Amino acid sequence: MLAFILTRLGQSVLVMLAVSLISFIMFRYVGDPVASLVSQEASIADQEQLRERLGLNDPFYEQFFRFVWNAIQGNFGISYRLQTPVAELIMSRLPATIELAMTSALIALVFGIVLGVFTALNRKNPFAAGIMAFSLIGVSLPTFLIGIGLIYVFAVELQWLPSFGRGAVVDLGWWRTGFLTETGLRSIILPAITLSLFQLTLIMRLVRAEMLEVLRQDYIKFARARGLSKRAINFSHALKNTLVPVITIAGLQLGSIITGALITETVFQWPGIGSLFLSSVAVVDVPVMAAYLIFVGFVFVIINLIVDILYYVVDPRLRIGGTAKGH
Amino acid sequence: MTDITPSAPKGRIGKIIDSDVFYSYRTSPVAIIASIIATILVLGALFAPWIAPYDPFNPRTLNLMNGFTPPMSESFTGNFFLFGSDHQGRDVFSAILYGSRVSLMVGLSAIMFAMVLGVSLGLIAGYRGGLTDTVIMRIADVQLSFPSILIALLIFGVARGIIPPSQQESMAIFVLIFAIGLSDWAQFARTVRGTTMVEKQKDYVSAARILGVKPIFILIRHILPNVVGPVLVIATIGLALAIIAEATLSFLGVGVPPTQPSLGTLIRIGQQFLFSGEWWILFYPAVTLILLALSVNLLGDWLRDALNPRLR
Amino acid sequence: MTETLKAAPVSQPVLSVKDLKVVFHLRRGDFTAVDGISFDIMPGEVLGVVGESGAGKSMTGTAIMGLIDRPGEVTATSISLKGERIDGLDEESMRRIRGKRIGMVFQDPLTSLNPLYTVGEQLIETIRRHLPLNEKQARERAIELLADAGIPDPAGRIDSYPHQFSGGMRQRVVISLALAAEPELVIADEPTSALDVSVQAQIIKVLKRLCAQRGVAVMLITHDMGVIAEAADRMIVMNKGKIVETGPVGDIIHRPQEPYTIKLIEAIPSIKSQNPRYVAAVAKGEVAIGGKTDAPIVTVDNLSKVFDLSPSLFARVLGGKSRKLVNAVNDVSFSIQRGQTYGLVGESGSGKSTCARMIVGLLEPTSGSIKLEGADIWRDKEATARRRQKIQMIFQDPYASLNPRWRVGEIIAEPIRALGISKNATEIGDRVADLLERVRLDPAAMRKYPHEFSGGQRQRIAIARALSSQPEFIICDEPTSALDVSVQAQVLELMSRLQEEFGLTYLLISHNLAVIRQMADAVGVLHNGVMVENGEVEQIFSDPRADYTRMLLDAVPDIAKVA
């Protein structure tokens, strides 16, 4: 187990280094870091002096090393656009994104798995067929249109829910949460549904496909031939086997919820890091873009690690070496 | 059990009509309706200059007097607007025809680019195995876990930093195609690699290797024809995703330039008027986009089931 | 059609099937898989059901269990278990019969068990479903069942997962599961077909012993007449969904009545039949076949292949795992005389296919040499080129050895084109047509795709491809293992005829000892990568020296062994 986790950790470090490299190259070579720091009138000599002071003339690997070292310490430079430290910007907006993403992930997972199992077990049921048809509409609807549609119906026409923002937040010192106020809770409903719908349909279709595949396996036929109850076959034999591959893909899908949040955040003017990133792309605010890339890479690596460990726990073929003994 | 009364030999067309795929098409109302809708939309986009009643992007023909004309009605100047007009007096119907043209063009080009890249890398990874495989598939894994919109945005941002401002307008479409294509190749690579690894173990490949046939010819002549089915399915579903991606980017304001609006740009424009009651400016482009994505998706879904013999 | 029993039944049959039909409603019309069959199984009896693929034998077993899914439909005048009707029962009542009163064993032990549960969990679940025992009692019973099935240290292994057992052991677990609730009848569907010969013999014994001890009747479904001869009391021969012949096993094997059965029995090779060429040679007064002549066409010296299955360097450094090297082929030497057939025998994992792949140039040897007419094909460039033209191969699976996207004509012409033997399209076309005729296929076949042909026809196409470069030496890797016996007989006959016609040399690789005895002049026996015995065919079969060979010959289920 330890060896397995160490191996995975090693790979994660490699992935993070690769992401940092891309991020660094972007940071260093897209646009001119000096030009954004000094005024238009600064002389060439002044610029050169600044260049020297910032270490921009040092060898590549030294600059990269410094970049990584700074990043580990949480120093990502200063935003060109807002002239504030990037780390501060990100930290102030992170809670909004994480709360939205977690709520959506929960909705997507719970409904995705339940509906997936339901549609797989009741292929002939007209209600299940309806869900399947609806799910295709779900994957065909661009997220921003879902958001606009929900705003139009629930905020503009019915006026039940707010159409933008996070509502009132409570400051817990290091975390500002919207979960503790009524407006905060009401505000998160529409964005969370918008963000989860695509993942929900994907997870549902995945669970259904995997479950149908598992139901075709010999061990299910053998379980039927042993006279086991329908319940035992469907829920203890088939579902558990279904979840093994689902864990991987669902995990990766959940990772993309955090980053996919940027569209939803834009539509609902949600003050998260997604909308921060988007406004930075528009003006090529490179330090923010680079930091965001590292953040996404980090989320990806963490989720991958969790997925691998879960996989390991669920599947005995990985946990226990396959030493077949005797004949 | 396989020997069910063999049907009498027919010509090439007879064989196609008799084939299982065509049978599944004939008996699937969803596939028929989806293909009809897709065909209408594609033809509309293709022949936009001949069908469109107005030229929506010629500033000289626009008349602000025509602005905000509701659907199915005539404006003050006596012009008829099927889907209404926008704030500049532009015909929404014509704008949609031209907009679908841009959407489809970008979507198709992007998916072609992704397909060529993904299929080649998938074939190489699957056939070579070892380190080549590990490196390519690791990149694909990382790629797949980043949503394509994010990758497209990053590429777009970087391109903005590199390309001089004077050329940004004209390069925008190519950057967009490149960005969407580059974010979609991994799906192809993954599937093709999987199929390649299965196929290369099969003995018909061994038979060719025994004869000393070079790997490149084995890949192209033996393995490639066997990955066409799954690639077609991914390409169809990928096309829907690419169209959505383009619309999303354009909606976010980082897509095609405003001089060549796509469906996403039209929705972006329309959104501004949603709260003030001019719903049609948003509604018709949105419906067109959904119909386009949905019909292509439905076709892809049907194709996957039709080509998968086990589900029949 | 002798369907009725000789005398009136003394006791009530365990299972009585009357006019069973299984029809599949497909889009090209109805397909009848089982066409109105009737039979009885008496208590304690082992009834063998034999037939070639598509005979409907598996469908019969599945239909009795009520496990046929749509688009299949089961109809019967009656199916009775101990006089009680079980056809047309609802799903819930049927569940109480499955496992409780009829147990079932499937073909592939690797896929019959749920990989995520321990064998104990699966046994206890089944026992408690059908018997009124608590968890502890059920566990004790599970351990007893495993012990009965011959699993060593059952108390220690009950908490292991299926993947920790070998194939044979898993099949014992599957048998324990089938017997868990003391059923009256066990339906075993090809229970040994996925196993090696030596394991197969043990599993048949276990199944027979356990059922005899408990007085359980068995319906043994198999394509392998040898297994029936070894295990069954009475047998049913099925063909195209109908019963062709019924009777005691000995009667049918020795005195088949129906033309179909006569042909079928004739087609089955036996390890007890002497090599026909040896017999002919002796009759002509020649000493023996397979003796050393001067010029072997292929010589294999001290051939070894080591596979490196080590975990990655990363895992080794961090996880402290060690390197893992597998000696697939270990110091094997033999030579093959021109114009003869050399048989290579062994169970799975014996290294016989690895040998073949090295000789044909698909896999590089770790050490040792392979010489074609004296030149090393792996070190000598010229010999490599010669090898491509002179050595060809026929593979086991006729479905995987032909590219499904190519027309038959293109497939057969591939060697001609790849080796640059001819570039003229008309000439190539003529040669392909000629080759098709020689393997007894219509030359019009060249315009069709492989999926339009049956397994046997595909194997003929594969043979035509192998012949198209006019090779002198053909490696046949299990060429008939995927085929029905009657088709196997035809393909073997074709191979012999082509050998004479073209003066071919064969390296025939097979796990089937009877086929080897029938076809080969000289034989090598491989076990775990080591050549344990090598010599003339009749010497090895009549007087085996190595213990392993003797064990193998004893283990083979063979129709000659019928009581």
Side-chain angles (χ1 to χ4, degrees), chain B residues 1 4 7 12 15 18-20 23 202-204 206-213 221-222 225-226, chain C residues 26-28 31 54 59 357 360 362 387-388 392-393 395 400-401 403-407 414-415 419 465:
Chain B
M1 293 192 307
I4 307 161
S7 38
R12 189 172 276 262
K15 261 187 187 163
D18 197 47
S19 73
D20 289 331
Y23 173 80
K202 289 198 180 158
D203 290 331
Y204 69 83
S206 302
R209 284 176 56 205
I210 289 171
L211 298 166
V213 177
R221 300 200 55 221
H222 278 287
N226 284 292
Chain C
L26 301 172
R27 80 155 166 111
R28 289 177 202 277
F31 166 64
M59 282 298 160
R357 296 178 81 80
V360 84
L362 287 172
R387 182 213 81 211
R388 287 186 179 142
Q392 274 296 329
M393 189 154 173
F395 302 90
S401 67
N403 191 335
R405 304 279 165 187
W406 282 29
R407 286 175 202 277
E414 188 183 23
L419 296 171
R465 170 179 58 190

Side-chain angles (χ1 to χ4, degrees), chain B residues 20 25 40 44 47-48 89 146 177 186 214 220 239 264 275 283 308:
Chain B
D20 289 331
Y25 178 77
I40 292 175
F47 297 108
F146 285 68
I177 290 170
K214 292 202 173 62
I220 293 174
L239 176 61
F275 298 131
F283 182 76
N308 186 348

Side-chain angles (χ1 to χ4, degrees), chain A residues 3 7 218-219 222 224-230 236-237 240-241 316-317 319-320 322-327, chain C residues 65 69 95 98-99 104 106 111-112 114-117 122 125-126 129-130 161 163-164 166 169 177 314 319:
Chain A
T7 313
D218 275 359
Y219 55 79
F222 188 50
R224 285 177 70 195
R226 280 185 278 147
L228 298 185
S229 70
K230 202 168 181 169
S236 105
H237 284 269
K240 198 168 173 188
N241 279 284
R317 284 165 293 188
R319 197 164 65 233
I320 302 158
T323 41
K325 292 180 220 154
H327 264 285
Chain C
M65 288 297 267
D69 292 321
R95 279 179 205 283
R98 289 183 207 138
M104 198 156 181
F106 287 111
T111 56
S112 309
N114 190 332
L116 300 187
Y117 291 101
Q122 300 186 49
E125 179 187 28
T126 313
R129 161 84 182 162
H130 297 297
Y161 287 92
H163 74 272
Q164 295 172 286
S166 65
M169 282 294 150
L177 272 164
F314 208 68

Side-chain angles (χ1 to χ4, degrees), chain C residues 168-370:
Chain C
M169 282 294 150
R170 276 194 231 189
Q171 198 62 315
R172 288 170 195 257
V173 173
V174 171
I175 291 173
S176 311
L177 272 164
L179 292 169
E182 298 288 347
E184 295 137 51
L185 172 71
V186 167
I187 299 177
D189 190 353
E190 303 274 8
T192 60
S193 306
L195 304 170
D196 265 331
V197 175
S198 54
V199 184
Q200 194 174 17
Q202 295 166 22
I203 295 297
I204 294 173
K205 277 196 197 108
V206 168
L207 186 65
K208 251 195 114 167
R209 174 171 57 81
L210 291 182
C211 293
Q213 277 169 3
R214 292 167 164 75
V216 179
V218 181
M219 178 173 164
L220 177 63
I221 299 165
T222 178
H223 70 282
D224 186 341
M225 196 73 94
V227 169
I228 299 269
E230 200 108 313
D233 307 316
R234 215 157 51 82
M235 70 190 276
I236 289 175
V237 181
M238 284 186 74
N239 182 36
K240 292 182 181 158
K242 289 190 158 69
I243 291 180
V244 179
E245 197 163 351
T246 325
V249 171
D251 286 2
I252 291 193
I253 288 177
H254 295 307
R255 293 172 292 281
Q257 301 297 315
E258 298 295 322
Y260 175 80
T261 324
I262 296 171
K263 257 185 68 194
L264 187 69
I265 304 268
E266 254 174 24
I268 299 169
S270 166
I271 53 160
K272 301 289 181 213
S273 327
Q274 289 192 323
N275 183 296
R277 276 196 277 178
Y278 173 81
V279 175
V282 170
K284 269 194 258 163
E286 288 164 28
V287 190
I289 55 165
K292 288 265 182 289
T293 53
D294 304 316
I297 182 165
V298 169
T299 321
V300 172
D301 287 312
N302 309 100
L303 191 65
S304 289
K305 178 71 196 177
V306 178
F307 287 112
D308 189 349
L309 300 180
S310 309
S312 69
L313 184 69
F314 208 68
R316 287 211 305 275
V317 173
L318 279 173
K321 293 196 179 124
S322 52
R323 289 187 75 90
K324 192 175 169 207
L325 300 176
V326 176
N327 280 304
V329 173
N330 198 353
D331 199 23
V332 167
S333 304
F334 59 92
S335 64
I336 303 170
Q337 307 299 316
R338 196 178 284 279
Q340 295 199 341
T341 299
Y342 185 87
L344 211 48
V345 181
E347 297 184 289
S348 57
S350 63
K352 54 190 193 307
S353 284
T354 308
C355 273
R357 296 178 81 80
M358 288 191 282
I359 297 172
V360 84
L362 287 172
L363 205 61
E364 192 164 357
T366 309
S367 65
S369 69
I370 298 161

Side-chain angles (χ1 to χ4, degrees), chain C residues 536-561:
Chain C
E536 287 167 36
V537 63
E538 282 309 315
Q539 176 256 310
I540 289 196
F541 276 84
S542 55
D543 181 22
R545 301 278 155 80
D547 292 341
Y548 177 73
T549 317
R550 224 171 292 137
M551 187 280 290
L552 217 52
L553 285 171
D554 282 342
V556 179
D558 194 272
I559 52 167
K561 288 186 181 169

